[in-house]
Amino acid sequence: MKITFYGQNSLLIDISGTQLMVDPFISGNPLSKDLVDVNRIKADFVLLTHAHQDHTLDAETIAKNNNATLVSNYEIAMYYEKKGITVHPMNHGGSWQFDFGKVKYVNAIHTSSFADGTYGGQPGGFVIEGEHKNIYIAGDTALTQDMKLIPMQTKLDLAILPIGDNFTMGVDDAIRASDFVECDKVLGVHYDTFGYIKIDHEEAKRKFYNAGKDLMLLEIGGSLEL
Ligand code: NI
Ligand code: MN
């Protein structure tokens, strides 16, 4: 499994050649718009954690360019189905076995409305099991006790957690979240994009290190392999 970071919560996940584009926000991201060409992204699936624009801005373009299947909660799926996109609706607690692996839509504490005000259902995260590797994409969320449910079912190899604070967990709560999901290997996301979420990288890494954990921060376009 290869995970490439395109800024904010935008992640391209390659599972045995199947490409999953998660929360594409590239053309409007000042950090990635000049580095990544949305029209060159290849995706078989587009996964959306919630409807906020900093997670969905390029979803329609990428889904239509690739004839990809869009996977999200019911309300978000219906929003994109009306635009002619193939969708797979899910809701909290539900799993589906796709050809590439298993996806579970899990709880997040946040909000979820589209930029035009359309209701975007309740926000979530994803647990993805594929290629004998298991990852948790928290999406935008507060620290929540529900995270403790995840390791009851899934032994994680990587937790992808927001660390930018203000709109989501910050570093200290992300360290607690890492305890809750029983995974010490963390990829930090949702930081630096806007003034509200600018963080000190070295301080964040030091805090994780002091807690006996590994925080990875990728450059835009950077990848890690599991
Ligand atoms: Ni959000
Ligand atoms: Mn966000």
Side-chain angles (χ1 to χ4, degrees):
M1 187 185 291
K2 182 179 178 186
I3 299 169
T4 304
F5 179 60
Y6 287 141
Q8 197 67 339
N9 200 48
S10 302
L11 302 155
L12 188 66
I13 302 174
D14 182 325
I15 303 177
S16 303
T18 299
Q19 310 291 334
L20 279 53
M21 181 74 235
V22 180
D23 285 1
F25 173 67
I26 295 161
S27 64
N29 182 340
L31 302 182
S32 51
K33 66 182 171 56
D34 297 327
L35 298 175
V36 184
D37 182 352
V38 169
N39 286 309
R40 295 184 69 163
I41 289 178
K42 296 270 169 269
D44 301 290
F45 293 87
V46 176
L47 278 64
L48 302 178
T49 60
H50 66 296
H52 285 160
Q53 193 171 40
D54 62 312
H55 298 256
T56 59
L57 182 67
D58 298 313
E60 183 175 352
T61 302
I62 293 171
K64 285 184 173 170
N65 281 352
N66 294 278
N67 202 14
T69 298
L70 188 145
V71 181
S72 192
N73 71 30
Y74 180 80
E75 289 78 9
I76 292 173
M78 292 307 109
Y79 180 90
Y80 285 102
E81 188 172 59
K82 284 197 193 113
K83 294 174 180 287
I85 291 168
T86 304
V87 300
H88 181 111
M90 299 187 74
N91 222 324
H92 300 88
S95 301
W96 185 260
Q97 184 70 49
F98 293 87
D99 286 345
F100 63 81
K102 194 163 113 181
V103 174
K104 185 172 188 178
Y105 192 64
V106 296
N107 294 348
I109 295 187
H110 193 65
T111 55
S112 178
S113 51
F114 284 95
D116 65 5
T118 303
Y119 175 59
Q122 297 296 312
F126 294 104
V127 176
I128 301 174
E129 303 181 10
E131 232 179 284
H132 307 294
K133 297 292 179 190
N134 304 325
I135 63 171
Y136 168 47
I137 300 168
D140 285 6
T141 184
L143 180 67
T144 161
Q145 296 273 353
D146 288 345
M147 291 168 176
K148 293 180 180 175
L149 301 172
I150 291 168
M152 291 181 186
Q153 182 176 336
T154 306
K155 171 109 187 60
L156 294 175
D157 296 289
L158 179 71
I160 302 175
L161 305 176
I163 57 170
D165 219 332
N166 192 72
F167 297 115
T168 67
M169 295 188 286
V171 169
D172 295 335
D173 276 348
I175 289 170
R176 294 181 189 103
S178 155
D179 282 333
F180 285 7
V181 300
E182 297 178 15
C183 180
D184 289 334
K185 195 171 175 184
V186 174
L187 174 64
V189 293
H190 213 272
Y191 63 92
D192 282 1
T193 312
F194 312 112
Y196 288 123
I197 59 174
K198 285 218 165 44
I199 66 159
D200 180 330
H201 295 200
E202 290 315 311
E203 184 187 21
K205 285 181 181 172
R206 190 171 57 246
K207 283 184 171 181
F208 271 82
Y209 180 82
N210 289 341
K213 300 172 186 296
D214 180 21
L215 175 68
M216 290 169 285
L217 301 178
L218 292 172
E219 302 285 322
I220 305 284
S223 300
L224 65 85
E225 295 217 33
L226 294 175

